Amino acid sequence: MTDFTAPLRPFVGQAAANALAAQLGIATVGALLRHYPRRYAERGKLTDLSKLELGEHVTVLARVQSASERYMLARKGKVAEVVITSGGRTLTLTFFNARGIVRRLKVGTVGLFAGKVTEFRGNLQLTHPAMILFGGDQEDSDIDEVDEFAGSLLPIYSATTKLPSWKIARCVRQVLDMMDEPEDPVPMEILAERGLPGLGQALRGIHLPDRDLDWRCARERLVWDEALAVQLALSRRRLAARRRPAPACPPVPGGLSDAFDARLPFTLTKGQREVGEVITRDLAGNHPMNRLVQGDVGAGKTVVALRAMLRVVDAGRQAAMLAPTEVLAAQHARTLRELLGPLGRAGELDGAQSATRVCLLTGSLGAKARKQALLDVVSGAVGIVVGTHALIQDRVEFADLGLVVVDEQHRFGVEQRDALRGRDGERTPHLLVMTATPIPRTVAMTVYGDLEVSALRELPAGRSPVATTVVPVGEKPAWLQRAWNRLREEVAKGHQAFVVCPRIGGDVGGAAADEDVPAESGQPDDDRRPPLGVLDVAPMLAEGPLAGLRLGVLHGKLPADDKDAVMRAFTVGELDVLVATTVIEVGVDVPNATAIVIMDADRFGLSALHQLRGRVGRGGVAGVCLLVTEAPAGTSTRERLDAVAATTDGFELARRDLELRREGDVLGATQSGRRSGLRLLSLLRDEQTITDAREVAWRLVAGDPALRLHPGLAAMVADIVDAGRAEFLEKT
Ligand code: ADP
Ligand code: MG
């Protein structure tokens, strides 16, 4: 039985083993066999150059006759033309901007070139052919290789210049040839039910397919393995979490919670009511709730959270609410106090009989205030604690923590929320996670697989949609002035507005340094001008198009007191326009704000744009969102913005976002090529597989949490969870 953790050495030569380790970090049989081909070059038979036909897929064995490179006239960059010859005939290979190609294809080099025959100015050519070179640099190869490849699908691996694809293919072949049939970790019945091939067959199929069907079948099986491993890991997590004891918080008739409902100024939506009932049931239990509530921007999640917290306070325990930024934490504390009214003013003159207290705990609290706050928390005088990460990082002692609410989950990792929950020694507080990022079902099942998911589907009545318009300043420079005029109109009507920029600007470093700017904005991967900064735009507006209006500036680098003061001034209407970074992206709730202008909108991700526009139209008045961009029409960048303008459906946008971003990012595999346990699984494409695997995983784990009966599966899970490969579990 060949062990997948076995070193490569007896299977491949020392030089190859060294190269695999050095170039790709591949050291074991398993790692090599899991290095799947990126694609397959379809190859015809070895072709006589005189018989090439236009449009045909061909593979030719030929010798390089000449190679030259020149700058193109019509476009940017260089084109390399390599003429290959065989039997007196020639064929041109064309490469655009392919660095080092002329150096690699030295005159006299023999190689296999595979591609589709096209015509250019009367000459047949192959553009960017797949190739295997013999001789020249690759002296250790020999011409016999040709037989092995001719007529089959040519697997193309991610490779490096020092370790070309065909060398990897050869190593894989050697391992597959010498290896015993591997033991299949997945029980036979499961495979049989789904008509999936065994592991050995799948590995051969994906690396050495004869036909397309071979690798397709193989892929299906291997994708299933990945989905199963992920779901097993999550199921175990979920099961373990469920079994922990938790502080039960049964409803208390006539308590704070009921009093609160009685004084609510609005009727709860159906969703708010239903989710509330589910949460009430969860909280009453002896095992911890692990619930994710997703609801689009403005769906009214705060009230849902507050009602849950009041249940806990009624039971004589405390609730903690975590927000991703200080601005948001401060706002939450304010909102909660407002919503509670006298019910939140225990100990004050007008406090209600059964009242509790809300306390704000952030990193920037003064030493004295902080000490008092901590005392109030540990003594139990405070029922609801609102805070930022500081809550987690410093050792805050609670008298009796019953519930942790995490707002805007996408800014928190599992680790962080667990850090707070882990505190309470034996008992695990209940957990309520709230996110406005609409999560496609598969992502929810994968990234948040250990949580139960509820959704708030409708928005509270009386919401007016936000009209979104792209302002293409490249083509229509006059539109920018119109945008500012539009904003002035809103202010003239007594409303307020946001202007958002991707950077802080001024002297305060680049985007990367801004804690409140999402990674997807201001990527340094291009030669565009630096993104606009708040500190540069605000004075321009003040002196120019927005002269005379009351402008405020808000960004993550401001001292907390200033942030708070600005936010408060804006909330109470002392400012007309807030020029801000994405620090306002999540949760900021100022119903009188009706317009938002997003500068350099193309520098933001779709979800961020959707979140940002959710800052307006929160009162009864229709909102307007203007996406200012220099991106030219017809580019994919513009398409993204058009997509945001075209739909207000957060779910649809999240799906688009997932398609546009590399999915790997969602699953934690990095673009740098660092290997994660997941290679094939796609959250979009493999939705059915993931659903299926989730059911199977739950069944397997429920009866056998440690997977003792299935050591192979246990190893598969370990492989996924191991060595930082569980990033997708930790990072959300
Ligand atoms: P989000 O889900 O984005 O966090 P919020 O909780 O901030 O949304 O709610 C947005 C606004 O809607 C708040 O001003 C809140 O008071 C109000 N709201 C919440 N629920 C309702 C409701 N059922 N009817 C009317 N307004 C509501
Ligand atoms: Mg919110």
Side-chain angles (χ1 to χ4, degrees), residues 266-269 272 296-303 460 463 589 618:
F266 44 70
T267 338
L268 295 173
T269 63
Q272 283 173 323
D296 209 344
V297 178
K301 295 182 291 294
T302 315
V303 170
R463 282 295 156 73
D589 184 29
R618 295 171 82 84

Side-chain angles (χ1 to χ4, degrees), residues 33-34 36-37 40 176 181-182 184 191 196-209 214-223 225:
L33 293 179
R34 300 276 184 211
Y36 304 131
Y40 304 90
L176 285 173
E181 189 64 26
D184 204 317
L191 296 176
L196 295 170
L199 182 60
Q201 190 189 333
L203 289 172
R204 270 188 301 277
I206 200 140
H207 289 291
L208 308 169
D214 295 341
W215 66 259
R216 284 185 205 281
C217 277
R219 207 167 186 290
E220 209 182 318
R221 154 69 205 251
L222 298 169
V223 165
D225 282 7

Side-chain angles (χ1 to χ4, degrees), residues 103-386:
R103 206 171 349 105
R104 271 180 73 205
L105 293 178
K106 285 197 199 70
V107 173
T109 305
V110 173
L112 268 171
F113 305 91
K116 190 171 167 187
V117 182
T118 55
E119 195 184 33
F120 183 67
R121 295 197 179 135
N123 285 322
L124 295 185
Q125 63 166 19
L126 301 179
T127 304
H128 289 277
M131 8 179 228
I132 300 169
L133 304 180
F134 312 109
D137 285 350
Q138 281 82 34
E139 230 115 53
D140 53 324
S141 73
D142 78 47
I143 215 86
D144 291 343
E145 289 283 338
V146 175
D147 291 338
E148 290 180 47
F149 288 110
S152 63
L153 287 172
L154 174 62
I156 306 291
Y157 293 91
S158 338
T160 64
T161 357
K162 287 193 176 132
L163 189 63
S165 169
W166 69 269
K167 261 194 196 176
I168 300 170
R170 186 206 256 175
C171 293
V172 170
R173 240 182 1 259
Q174 286 169 356
V175 170
L176 285 173
D177 286 349
M178 289 166 68
M179 190 178 81
D180 314 314
E181 189 64 26
E183 187 176 1
D184 204 317
V186 180
M188 268 292 287
E189 321 82 75
I190 291 181
L191 296 176
E193 267 172 39
R194 290 161 183 78
L196 295 170
L199 182 60
Q201 190 189 333
L203 289 172
R204 270 188 301 277
I206 200 140
H207 289 291
L208 308 169
D210 285 325
R211 313 163 289 166
D212 276 348
L213 188 64
D214 295 341
W215 66 259
R216 284 185 205 281
C217 277
R219 207 167 186 290
E220 209 182 318
R221 154 69 205 251
L222 298 169
V223 165
W224 207 85
D225 282 7
E226 289 180 11
L228 183 64
V230 171
Q231 295 302 332
L232 282 170
L234 291 169
S235 294
R236 274 161 80 161
R237 230 191 130 89
R238 192 148 54 112
L239 189 71
R242 277 199 189 178
R243 290 186 170 175
R244 275 182 231 137
C249 304
V252 176
L256 251 186
S257 185
D258 289 353
F260 175 75
D261 283 357
R263 71 179 296 275
L264 257 183
F266 44 70
T267 338
L268 295 173
T269 63
K270 184 157 164 279
Q272 283 173 323
R273 242 184 3 256
E274 284 169 2
V275 173
E277 279 160 23
V278 172
I279 291 173
T280 300
R281 235 183 354 261
D282 286 350
L283 290 175
N286 289 311
H287 296 292
M289 166 172 83
N290 282 289
R291 187 163 296 279
L292 174 78
V293 172
Q294 53 177 113
D296 209 344
V297 178
K301 295 182 291 294
T302 315
V303 170
V304 170
L306 180 52
R307 293 177 80 229
M309 293 194 281
L310 293 176
R311 288 272 178 233
V312 171
V313 174
D314 271 341
R317 307 186 202 276
Q318 293 163 299
M321 183 173 198
L322 303 187
T325 63
E326 296 211 345
V327 168
L328 199 51
Q331 182 191 278
H332 271 321
R334 232 178 2 248
T335 309
L336 297 183
R337 282 186 191 126
E338 235 160 70
L339 284 167
L340 285 167
L343 299 177
R345 293 199 280 269
E348 289 176 45
L349 274 181
D350 63 343
Q353 188 88 72
S354 57
T356 184
R357 268 169 62 196
V358 178
C359 143
L360 176 65
L361 199 55
T362 56
S364 53
L365 223 53
K368 204 168 144 223
R370 171 178 189 75
K371 203 169 155 207
Q372 186 57 49
L374 290 174
L375 266 175
D376 289 346
V377 176
V378 75
S379 71
V382 157
I384 295 174
V385 183
V386 184

Side-chain angles (χ1 to χ4, degrees), residues 63-74:
R63 185 180 306 276
V64 175
Q65 188 179 61
S66 69
S68 63
E69 195 167 23
R70 61 179 167 79
Y71 283 98
M72 286 177 280
L73 296 176

Side-chain angles (χ1 to χ4, degrees), residues 435-452:
T435 179
T437 310
I439 306 158
R441 225 166 67 85
T442 39
V443 180
M445 279 192 300
T446 307
V447 179
Y448 305 110
D450 58 335
L451 300 175
E452 314 290 334

Side-chain angles (χ1 to χ4, degrees), residues 389-401:
H389 302 239
L391 249 191
I392 314 169
Q393 277 145 11
D394 308 349
R395 262 182 282 113
V396 180
E397 295 280 342
F398 289 86
D400 187 356
L401 182 60

